[in-house]
Amino acid sequence: MAVIPGDGIGPEVIACALEAVQAAGRECGFRVDLTDYDLGSRRYLATGEVLPDSVAAELAEHDAILLGAVGTPEVPPGILERGLLLRLRFEFDMYVNFRPVKLYPGVSSAIAGLTPERCDMEVIRENTEGLYSGSGGFLHKGTEAEIANQHSVNTRTGTERIVRYAFHRAMKRDRRLTLCHKTNVLTIAGDLWQRTTDEVAAEYPQVEVDYVHVDAACIHLIDSPERFDVIVTDNMFGDIITDLGGAIAGGIGLAASGNLNPTGDYPSLFEPVHGTAPDIVGTGWANPVAAVFSAALCLEHLGEGEAAAMVEKAAAGVLSGMGAMAGPGMGASTSEIGNRIVEAIGV
Ligand code: IPM
Ligand code: MN
């Protein structure tokens, strides 16, 4: 496993995630060999390097990548996001961004009174195309006639593979799939997504298929999250609704994600959805559970389902005894929470 602890609270939460991984490995009879990579703001500010080609080539040789968070206020926006995160997603063809939205028992949601039975879904976000593609450009930049075009790229192949992946997930769950888009306005991209979903749906008569506009999805996620089992959506909409999902499932301190290359041609990358939180670095107020859950997704992806379940269960158990899900209200520091999780593994 390649490890990119990154910046800010990244190294703090990744340390806990790695201890949980090795503890589960001891229970299940394996050990994970780790290679540490110094990437992120520190390296960029010191050397100007974001992701040297030689490092990308080394990363490609690993089975998986675990990343904490990258970015600091000193680095202008876009440099690390496009140069590191998006470059890895695109070059390693991690076309699925897998984001569970699950409320664990004892965790309080931003929605008063929401219970775990009503909030258990997966968002399957397209991860290589759409508005993230980088297609577009400026014309007459800096003049009154300036034009800024940023294209949403939607290929038939790219759309079909993510829709197929979502159906495959739905078959493993409650067999309900919702396409989330904006077909009433994005009549070109939306048409491709809707037609592709309809065509693939014909192969899965067992799956109940639904459609929701992205704006309406924001209402339903708040007032009736139980209506969702698997949501498939494009890159930009998926980015937005999974932050909302994070808030309803107990906050961004718990939200995990996997950038998956389902073909196995390249490693997949696992990371907490949260950022580097420069304001709380070193305070012990960072919740390591998002990183621990991300490591569990990683173990699952590597075929270590038993270890993954142990880590998830241990972290969920520790959560149920906590107060707030981040900050001083957690009642324990980052490393104390990490230790409690390790103690709970295999019990
Ligand atoms: C996320 C993040 C990234 C994204 C950024 C940091 C490039 O917000 O993983 O959701 O927009 O995909
Ligand atoms: Mn995001």
Side-chain angles (χ1 to χ4, degrees), residues 14-47:
I14 286 298
C16 299
L18 292 176
E19 281 178 25
V21 164
Q22 300 296 23
R26 280 193 296 277
E27 294 295 325
C28 299
F30 64 83
R31 219 201 112 70
V32 179
D33 292 325
L34 308 171
T35 327
D36 224 65
Y37 285 93
D38 175 26
L39 295 168
S41 303
R42 211 168 347 113
R43 177 146 180 185
Y44 174 72
L45 293 171
T47 69

Side-chain angles (χ1 to χ4, degrees), residues 92-118:
F92 291 177
D93 210 20
M94 301 167 177
Y95 69 84
V96 178
N97 197 320
F98 178 78
R99 298 190 159 182
V101 177
K102 179 171 173 178
L103 181 64
Y104 287 89
V107 173
S108 62
S109 165
I111 305 167
L114 186 66
T115 52
E117 306 72 60
R118 294 181 52 212

Side-chain angles (χ1 to χ4, degrees), residues 130-199:
L131 281 168
Y132 279 66
S133 71
S135 171
F138 291 103
L139 287 171
H140 317 300
K141 190 172 181 181
T143 73
E144 293 235 331
E146 176 159 0
I147 301 173
N149 281 315
Q150 191 110 37
H151 304 141
S152 174
V153 172
N154 299 264
T155 68
R156 168 70 202 205
T157 308
T159 308
E160 185 172 328
R161 66 184 183 174
I162 192 71
V163 166
R164 283 192 181 282
Y165 190 84
F167 273 98
H168 151 82
R169 288 304 307 171
M171 287 298 288
K172 292 189 181 297
R173 296 175 47 96
D174 200 31
R175 301 190 171 182
R176 293 182 290 125
L177 181 134
T178 305
L179 169 63
C180 170
H181 208 281
K182 186 73 184 174
T183 54
N184 54 344
V185 174
L186 305 182
T187 50
I188 304 168
D191 187 73
L192 174 63
W193 277 80
Q194 184 69 69
R195 264 186 294 121
T196 305
T197 303
D198 292 345
E199 283 173 33

Side-chain angles (χ1 to χ4, degrees), residues 41 62 156 193 237 241 261 277:
S41 303
H62 289 76
R156 168 70 202 205
W193 277 80
F237 297 147
I241 67 168
N261 170 253

Side-chain angles (χ1 to χ4, degrees), residues 70-346:
V70 292
T72 47
E74 296 83 55
V75 180
I79 293 184
L80 297 169
E81 290 86 344
R82 290 216 79 90
L84 180 58
L85 279 178
L86 297 185
R87 184 173 160 201
L88 288 174
R89 288 178 186 175
F90 295 177
E91 275 188 25
F92 291 177
D93 210 20
M94 301 167 177
Y95 69 84
V96 178
N97 197 320
F98 178 78
R99 298 190 159 182
V101 177
K102 179 171 173 178
L103 181 64
Y104 287 89
V107 173
S108 62
S109 165
I111 305 167
L114 186 66
T115 52
E117 306 72 60
R118 294 181 52 212
C119 181
D120 182 1
M121 73 189 87
E122 287 176 4
V123 178
I124 306 297
R125 165 186 174 191
E126 202 292 320
N127 211 30
T128 53
E129 304 193 336
L131 281 168
Y132 279 66
S133 71
S135 171
F138 291 103
L139 287 171
H140 317 300
K141 190 172 181 181
T143 73
E144 293 235 331
E146 176 159 0
I147 301 173
N149 281 315
Q150 191 110 37
H151 304 141
S152 174
V153 172
N154 299 264
T155 68
R156 168 70 202 205
T157 308
T159 308
E160 185 172 328
R161 66 184 183 174
I162 192 71
V163 166
R164 283 192 181 282
Y165 190 84
F167 273 98
H168 151 82
R169 288 304 307 171
M171 287 298 288
K172 292 189 181 297
R173 296 175 47 96
D174 200 31
R175 301 190 171 182
R176 293 182 290 125
L177 181 134
T178 305
L179 169 63
C180 170
H181 208 281
K182 186 73 184 174
T183 54
N184 54 344
V185 174
L186 305 182
T187 50
I188 304 168
D191 187 73
L192 174 63
W193 277 80
Q194 184 69 69
R195 264 186 294 121
T196 305
T197 303
D198 292 345
E199 283 173 33
V200 178
E203 296 171 33
Y204 290 92
Q206 314 91 324
V207 177
E208 191 186 311
V209 182
D210 193 11
Y211 171 82
V212 65
H213 291 318
V214 63
D215 47 351
C218 293
I219 300 175
H220 299 319
L221 279 167
I222 300 290
D223 74 12
S224 47
E226 65 277 5
R227 87 186 253 155
F228 301 116
D229 178 32
V230 174
I231 298 180
V232 64
T233 191
D234 86 350
N235 210 339
M236 186 80 257
F237 297 147
D239 178 48
I240 298 168
I241 67 168
T242 55
D243 267 23
L244 187 55
I248 68 170
I252 210 75
L254 310 185
S257 77
N259 298 268
L260 311 180
N261 170 253
T263 62
D265 292 339
Y266 295 95
S268 295
L269 183 152
F270 299 82
E271 55 175 337
V273 175
H274 66 66
T276 54
D279 50 329
I280 61 165
V281 176
T283 59
W285 295 346
N287 190 338
V289 170
V292 173
F293 279 153
S294 302
L297 294 179
C298 180
L299 290 170
E300 176 83 50
H301 180 77
L302 293 173
E304 298 293 347
E306 193 194 345
M310 271 183 193
V311 171
E312 186 194 8
K313 182 164 168 261
V318 169
L319 277 184
S320 66
M322 279 168 57
M325 288 299 144
M330 289 196 303
S333 69
T334 309
S335 59
E336 280 163 4
I337 295 168
N339 291 340
R340 287 184 198 171
I341 294 171
V342 166
E343 280 162 27
I345 285 173

